Amino acid sequence: MTAVLIIAGVMLVAAALLTTYRLLAGPGSLDRLVAMDTLIATAICGLSVWAVYSGDTTIVPAIVALALVGFVGSVSVARFRVSDDS
């Protein structure tokens, strides 16, 4: 079980690095928005893997709060986004 969690952690770190590149180099604001959503989802998965590894359930409210912040942030940015052409 520990090997599976280590492999999952390594894959999440790789995903976070690739997503950070897209966040910094994205040509448009929607690309950056999608990268930020992906980075938040990766952080949620990383916290979940850590909760399973450590057996600590006090992290679960932080995971729920991060999911809510990610959702509200995505909706608000998508709603008030200015066109990239201007």
Side-chain angles (χ1 to χ4, degrees), residues 20-45:
T20 302
Y21 170 74
R22 177 50 54 199
L23 182 66
L24 296 174
S29 62
L30 281 181
D31 293 325
R32 289 186 172 98
L33 177 64
V34 170
M36 193 60 167
D37 285 339
T38 306
L39 196 58
I40 289 173
T42 305
I44 291 170
C45 292

Side-chain angles (χ1 to χ4, degrees), residues 13-74:
V13 168
L17 290 174
L18 291 171
T19 303
T20 302
Y21 170 74
R22 177 50 54 199
L23 182 66
L24 296 174
S29 62
L30 281 181
D31 293 325
R32 289 186 172 98
L33 177 64
V34 170
M36 193 60 167
D37 285 339
T38 306
L39 196 58
I40 289 173
T42 305
I44 291 170
C45 292
L47 284 173
S48 300
V49 167
W50 177 255
V52 169
Y53 177 74
S54 67
D56 187 14
T57 59
T58 59
I59 301 173
V60 174
I63 293 170
V64 172
L66 192 57
L68 289 173
V69 167
F71 172 74
V72 170
S74 301

Side-chain angles (χ1 to χ4, degrees), residues 29-30 33 71-84 86:
S29 62
L30 281 181
L33 177 64
F71 172 74
V72 170
S74 301
V75 170
S76 63
V77 169
R79 171 72 174 98
F80 297 111
R81 188 181 79 86
V82 177
S83 177
D84 290 332
S86 57

